[in-house]
Amino acid sequence: MDVIPIAEESLGVRSMAMFIKTRDLSILLDPGISLSPNRFGLPPHPRELERVRTLRSILERYAEETNYVFISHYHRDHFTVPYPSIYMGTTNESYRKIYSNKVLLLKSPDDENWSQRRRYYGLRRAIEGLVREIMFVDGKELTIGSTKLVISQSLPHGEDNARTGKVIAITIINNDESLTFMPDVEGPVSQLAVNYVMTIRPQTLIVGGPPLYLSRKGFGEDYLNNALRNLMSILRAGFLNRLVIAHHTLRELNWRNALKALFEDASKYNISIITYAGMLDREDELLEAMRKELYAAEPPPKDYLKQFRGVKDENED
């Protein structure tokens, strides 16, 4: 199984985009890329805009090799929107490059919140006639040649009854390899997400970790402790070889120290904890978390902020 990270916070953008290939299957997981429009009271730094364009082109290149596209939910850092955006590096043609002639494995919109349902319907209108097939895969198992896909039931985007909606996870099993891709479960903090992992028992878990950067907005010490307890219970269960911490957690520069106990536990069980950047043998580049420092060290031109004025429909998710 070839596992290729494409975009994520450790690579300088908001995303969990990944390409996976087996003998029978090539699939893009959550093919979206975005930047926070406002962090520390500042729009994206020029280095962030350059990075989102660079990674967008890489994503589009891997889309040429892909037969299947999986979308876990409808936040805009997890799918390619059908319109141009400075924050997402998209043009009017970007979505066609991602979805044309693909089989789409989608989260059902039925139990999503209003904003995610609205985005789903906008995407659905745009891709009608472009794609080969659309399948809602919540709770389903698919077999493609010698590759098996096991998709979770609908899971909370964070804790149970989270207002941010629902997500689905996917496990890819090929021969003696297994990998679970579990975005935006924010830990996981919900026991439903933990139960899925414990049942599947993957060798590699790619998980959207706790949102440390939101500690002042209701995601405090109790929330983090719950996430750590759940992650440690997964480590101690004895099936993991590798844990990939991703996404929300890496919007905080001090994230490794905040998860120090987890790293210590992993070392006891000979489990590696790694990031998307680490999987590519690169150092983490947390450009969003470094935004204030980037503006101080590399001030943009005086007229730089003009391009962000009047941009509509670009909130945090």
Side-chain angles (χ1 to χ4, degrees), residues 6-192:
I6 296 174
E8 190 263 350
E9 277 75 352
S10 66
L11 299 171
V13 296
R14 291 187 169 191
S15 179
M16 282 187 68
M18 179 166 282
F19 175 76
I20 294 181
K21 187 172 184 178
T22 69
R23 186 177 67 179
D24 307 291
L25 170 75
S26 58
I27 186 167
L28 275 179
L29 305 179
D30 277 12
I33 306 174
S34 186
L35 300 172
S36 172
N38 184 347
R39 187 78 194 274
F40 310 113
L42 297 167
H45 186 269
R47 282 180 59 187
E48 294 179 83
L49 294 183
E50 179 183 7
R51 184 62 55 85
V52 80
R53 291 190 293 265
T54 297
L55 295 181
R56 170 67 57 186
S57 67
I58 293 172
L59 176 64
E60 292 173 356
R61 188 169 75 240
Y62 277 106
E64 296 174 1
E65 303 180 33
T66 297
N67 299 318
Y68 291 80
V69 172
F70 170 82
I71 297 176
S72 67
H73 66 298
Y74 303 99
H75 285 166
R76 284 173 287 199
D77 47 356
H78 292 268
F79 75 104
T80 291
V81 299
Y83 55 83
S85 167
I86 188 173
Y87 298 111
M88 290 176 264
T90 51
T91 68
N92 283 317
E93 296 299 311
S94 295
Y95 75 100
R96 296 177 180 271
K97 297 177 181 178
I98 301 300
Y99 304 122
S100 290
N101 203 34
K102 305 294 191 292
V103 177
L104 268 59
L105 309 179
L106 303 182
K107 167 78 184 76
S108 169
D110 290 348
D111 62 348
E112 287 292 8
N113 58 22
W114 177 83
S115 65
Q116 291 205 58
R117 289 199 307 272
R118 177 173 58 87
R119 291 174 193 150
Y120 160 74
Y121 289 119
L123 176 65
R124 182 71 183 250
R125 285 193 299 270
I127 62 177
E128 290 285 358
L130 282 180
V131 302
R132 188 147 45 104
E133 186 178 357
I134 294 175
M135 301 173 62
F136 298 129
V137 294
D138 307 40
K140 293 185 177 180
E141 295 187 12
L142 306 174
T143 300
I144 302 166
S146 61
T147 302
K148 185 177 181 180
L149 307 179
V150 182
I151 298 93
S152 72
Q153 297 285 349
S154 189
L155 302 172
H157 186 295
E159 60 188 348
D160 295 336
N161 302 315
R163 294 182 179 181
T164 40
K166 303 286 188 178
V167 306
I168 52 174
I170 185 170
T171 298
I172 301 173
I173 304 169
N174 182 245
N175 298 323
D176 59 350
E177 295 181 88
S178 59
L179 175 149
T180 294
F181 177 82
M182 182 177 277
D184 286 37
V185 291
E186 298 185 357
V189 289
S190 169
Q191 190 61 42
L192 293 173

Side-chain angles (χ1 to χ4, degrees), residues 143-293:
T143 300
I144 302 166
S146 61
T147 302
K148 185 177 181 180
L149 307 179
V150 182
I151 298 93
S152 72
Q153 297 285 349
S154 189
L155 302 172
H157 186 295
E159 60 188 348
D160 295 336
N161 302 315
R163 294 182 179 181
T164 40
K166 303 286 188 178
V167 306
I168 52 174
I170 185 170
T171 298
I172 301 173
I173 304 169
N174 182 245
N175 298 323
D176 59 350
E177 295 181 88
S178 59
L179 175 149
T180 294
F181 177 82
M182 182 177 277
D184 286 37
V185 291
E186 298 185 357
V189 289
S190 169
Q191 190 61 42
L192 293 173
V194 176
N195 291 346
Y196 171 75
V197 177
M198 293 296 200
T199 300
I200 293 292
R201 299 177 67 84
Q203 295 164 331
T204 296
L205 172 61
I206 301 168
V207 64
L212 304 173
Y213 76 116
L214 296 176
S215 60
R216 298 177 183 174
K217 298 181 180 180
F219 298 85
E221 187 174 347
D222 289 344
Y223 202 92
L224 174 59
N225 288 339
N226 185 25
L228 285 174
R229 277 194 303 271
N230 288 337
L231 284 169
M232 287 178 177
S233 70
I234 292 170
L235 292 183
R236 294 167 182 168
F239 51 81
L240 271 191
N241 296 328
R242 179 168 63 168
L243 174 64
V244 183
I245 298 288
H247 207 31
H248 297 109
T249 300
L250 280 77
R251 296 176 192 174
E252 166 62 51
L253 287 174
N254 199 34
W255 75 273
R256 289 180 185 272
N257 188 58
L259 302 188
K260 182 179 178 182
L262 185 68
F263 280 92
E264 292 173 349
D265 226 38
S267 67
K268 296 176 186 176
Y269 296 94
N270 200 28
I271 298 169
S272 66
I273 297 181
I274 198 168
T275 65
Y276 273 45
M279 294 173 73
L280 295 169
D281 293 321
R282 291 168 50 177
E283 295 294 323
D284 295 344
E285 290 186 275
L286 310 183
L287 297 184
E288 177 183 322
M290 295 166 55
R291 190 175 291 180
K292 280 193 299 186
E293 291 82 356

